[in-house]
Amino acid sequence: MLITHKLYNMDCLEGMRKYIEDSSIDLVITSPPYNIKLKARNEYTKNYMDNLSEEAYRGKIKELIEELIRVTKDDGSIWINMKSRYFNEERKVVTATYGSLEPPTWILEYTWGKLYLKNLVIWNYDINSDTKNNKFHPRYEFFFWFTKKAKDYKFFLDEIRVIPKTRDKRNNPKGANPTDVWYIPLVKGNSRERNFHPAQYPEKLVERIMKGCSEEYDTILDPFLGSGTTMVVAKKLNRNCIGFEINSEYVKNTEKRMNLAQKSITEFRTSNTPTIKNVIVNQLEIIKR
Ligand SMILES: C[S@@+](CC[C@H](N)C(=O)[O-])C[C@H]1O[C@@H](n2cnc3c(N)ncnc32)[C@H](O)[C@@H]1O
């Protein structure tokens, strides 16, 4: 069985309309830019596109959701990661000191009647950096998990059960449901997993979503691939993957990560299953605009 990984170096809306057929995707995992005017502080952020007017930004998210609905299969899922932002009286995004917190529930305006929101997962993490001591430190983001059908969608709880928090003879011996609050640390600066991107997903986070909502040989889509974590995890879990990324430096970074992942998979297979016949050949294909 051949698995393919395609990385398009282009705008995702343009690319999806051109290259992705209706009802061809099993699972979408993505994190659109937050539109928080991320400063071009270093190499990671110098080309980062994160500075639209709020109206234009919401318009893009609306178009994105329409495209995701078109390309996702009937039993598929769409996971969209967003976080709360602070707005001032003129409804402009500002820093926490000057604004009022607004969770991103406005995206439900674009999904209502078209998708079912199955969970609003809280991704809780920890970081060392400290902000001013005039409020609690924010330590979470949201994952909106949408399905196209109210029931009969892919979900494999047994693949992602966790160790129960308490000992109880009524506990399921297969493990506990991970619930809708997930503590998964961010990728730290000194971690081996750390990469060339300001908003890199930890592999563990993507792995839980992918194992829970897709099967081997399914097709995963990430329209904002960033550091490439979705594609790397897809490769490790034998899923096809299509990614879009507008920044060519980030694309090169994903290419490197995919080559490294291929190397370690090949080494593992050679030393553990030397006689395996149907080795999956999966080359990364990079398509430029
Ligand atoms: C929040 S980051 C995604 C991070 C990603 N989840 C990861 O694990 O690294 C958003 C990414 O979308 C890219 N981007 C912004 N606008 C885009 C567009 N119109 N089409 C494709 N990619 C875009 C940015 O360059 C950035 O890398």
Side-chain angles (χ1 to χ4, degrees), residues 48-76:
Y48 203 89
M49 297 171 65
D50 196 37
N51 199 9
L52 296 175
S53 73
E54 189 56 19
E55 197 189 351
Y57 175 63
R58 293 192 186 195
K60 289 274 178 205
I61 298 290
K62 181 171 186 277
E63 282 183 73
L64 171 77
I65 288 171
E66 279 161 13
E67 268 307 285
L68 296 182
I69 293 172
R70 179 185 71 77
V71 299
T72 302
K73 292 181 185 171
D74 275 356
D75 61 354

Side-chain angles (χ1 to χ4, degrees), residues 258-273:
M258 291 293 280
N259 288 339
L260 273 177
Q262 178 65 45
K263 211 168 146 236
S264 57
I265 290 169
T266 310
E267 278 166 13
F268 178 80
R269 283 192 184 137
T270 316
S271 54
N272 290 279
T273 52

